[in-house]
Amino acid sequence: MRLNKTVLLFVAGLMTFFTVATASAAIRTVTSRGKSYVTLPNLAAYYAMTISQPARNRVCMQNRFNRIEFETESRSVWINGTLIALSEPVQKLGWQWAIDATDFNKTIEPVARPAEFLKGVGTRTVVLDPGHGGDDKGTSSPRNVHEKLVVLDVAKRVKAKLEARGINVELTRENDRTVDLDARDRKAAALRADLFVSIHANSAANRSVRGAETFVLALPGRYSSNSYGGGRLPTDTNAGNRYDTANMALGYRLQQNILRATGQEDRGVKRARFEVLRDAPCPAALVEMAFMSNLKDEAIAIDPAGRDRIALGIANGIAAYVADVSRARVK
Ligand SMILES: [Zn+2]
């Protein structure tokens, strides 16, 4: 959004300011045309970060703990090097770059300060959901390896790694059988899941597309990452939206640790309205571990050592989230 001087004066007239809880400086939410924003200089002051513009389309802020890099007029933000999709683009508000206030509250904050947002969240039972199964093969690779088998094997490896660390893990399916989508969330609820991770492998018509991505539930009143700007703005609020901040904290830890363990291309933490995320009875994320349609990614997904690296990344991500929750409890 580019504003000329006349529009700017008009916008300034509509702006109202109010203060929310502070970390370092106060956040002053700026309201323009009925929407709330946080400016990037204000965000940097709030986190006690230094701010710079290292390239024409980049705004960077950092302190001893975190580095946040925004791409201007884009929904891409990298927090400590991991890509996360904002719900709305970074845009010019008057003379300053700004982000949607909901992106500040529900995307940036739970990643930058997880201990503040994970109080009262449980960690006793992890439910892993290997996608597809039985009649539903999921996607298939060029060498005809089925997603349903790859994700089940990876889920079992994650379970073994987490159990070795004393974390209780259940699966929505233990073998190659059909499980309906709604039955997966019902099973998680029956098992009293404290967190839910659905495990999938991806596919694209363009075979050069590869990498790992992690999805969390789209925010109420905001587009999903892959349907941005298309059709009417969604207005539905889903059961899983009760856990918006924990969802993002979990999704970030998963994506960060999968990349560390596998060295895969980073396709980011994105938002979607997948059924298993909409109705999740607890904080939830869905991992797309690799593209079965890409030869390099397929090699990782077929190779037992490759699957083990992916499983290690998912297990480390869950363990990092559990550690974040523990820190929130003692805070
Ligand atoms: Zn799938």
Side-chain angles (χ1 to χ4, degrees):
M1 184 172 70
R2 291 185 187 284
L3 299 174
N4 63 34
K5 266 189 184 157
T6 318
V7 175
L8 189 63
L9 287 171
F10 176 66
V11 170
L14 295 180
M15 285 181 183
T16 56
F17 298 96
F18 64 92
T19 304
V20 297
T22 68
S24 175
I27 282 289
R28 296 182 308 161
T29 306
V30 180
T31 306
S32 170
R33 298 176 186 179
K35 285 182 165 183
S36 296
Y37 300 87
V38 174
T39 70
L40 296 191
N42 186 195
L43 186 69
Y46 176 72
Y47 287 136
M49 288 174 158
T50 54
I51 186 166
S52 62
Q53 193 153 3
R56 199 184 53 77
N57 65 341
R58 294 291 168 113
V59 177
C60 203
M61 49 188 80
Q62 69 185 109
N63 61 17
R64 277 194 302 139
F65 309 106
N66 293 302
R67 178 186 160 88
I68 307 178
E69 187 168 344
F70 292 93
E71 186 173 37
T72 55
E73 295 180 318
S74 151
R75 287 175 291 138
S76 294
V77 57
W78 289 263
I79 303 187
N80 303 320
T82 300
L83 174 62
I84 300 174
L86 296 169
S87 293
E88 292 293 330
V90 178
Q91 52 193 282
K92 257 295 167 56
L93 197 71
W95 58 94
Q96 291 178 320
W97 292 107
I99 56 169
D100 181 297
T102 303
D103 276 326
F104 164 69
N105 287 313
K106 301 291 176 69
T107 302
I108 306 291
E109 275 276 77
V111 175
R113 304 191 306 141
E116 300 297 327
F117 295 88
L118 295 172
K119 292 183 173 73
V121 172
T123 53
R124 200 170 298 140
T125 302
V126 173
V127 173
L128 301 176
D129 173 45
H132 314 279
D135 298 336
D136 173 11
K137 296 188 183 70
T139 186
S140 297
S141 77
R143 276 172 273 192
N144 210 29
V145 176
H146 301 315
E147 176 186 356
K148 65 173 186 174
L149 299 176
V150 174
V151 296
L152 178 60
D153 182 54
V154 168
K156 285 180 174 173
R157 290 170 190 266
V158 176
K159 178 174 159 73
K161 290 178 196 303
L162 289 175
E163 283 176 346
R165 300 183 204 185
I167 297 173
N168 179 37
V169 182
E170 306 281 352
L171 301 182
T172 55
R173 68 177 176 96
E174 307 263 354
N175 47 38
D176 182 18
R177 66 186 178 86
T178 308
V179 184
D180 292 336
L181 283 175
D182 55 347
R184 294 169 192 261
D185 283 324
R186 279 206 307 277
K187 180 147 192 196
L191 289 166
R192 294 173 162 272
D194 289 301
L195 67 130
F196 178 88
V197 178
S198 193
I199 303 177
H200 288 254
N202 232 327
S203 165
N206 177 351
R207 290 196 169 186
S208 68
V209 174
R210 64 190 180 97
E213 55 193 16
T214 300
F215 287 90
V216 297
L217 183 60
L219 297 170
R222 296 293 185 277
Y223 289 108
S224 63
S225 300
N226 293 339
S227 65
Y228 183 78
R232 263 189 36 234
L233 192 65
T235 54
D236 58 320
T237 298
N238 297 287
N241 286 122
R242 281 174 293 173
Y243 310 105
D244 277 336
T245 51
N247 290 343
M248 180 47 74
L250 174 62
Y252 169 70
R253 287 302 190 198
L254 285 165
Q255 182 71 6
Q256 178 187 45
N257 283 281
I258 291 167
L259 299 177
R260 277 183 190 161
T262 64
Q264 272 172 293
E265 215 164 90
D266 182 8
R267 292 184 50 86
V269 182
K270 298 179 174 178
R271 293 191 181 274
R273 287 186 171 82
F274 297 140
E275 188 169 341
V276 292
L277 298 180
R278 285 203 310 261
D279 300 330
C282 59
L286 184 147
V287 169
E288 293 278 5
M289 59 168 77
F291 277 80
M292 299 299 282
S293 46
N294 174 270
L295 283 172
K296 249 185 175 158
D297 269 18
E298 185 208 24
I300 298 171
I302 288 178
D303 176 22
R307 289 180 189 180
D308 211 62
R309 284 198 301 277
I310 292 169
L312 179 66
I314 296 171
N316 285 347
I318 291 170
Y321 170 83
V322 168
D324 286 339
V325 174
S326 306
R327 277 192 287 274
R329 278 194 196 124
V330 298
K331 225 177 143 146

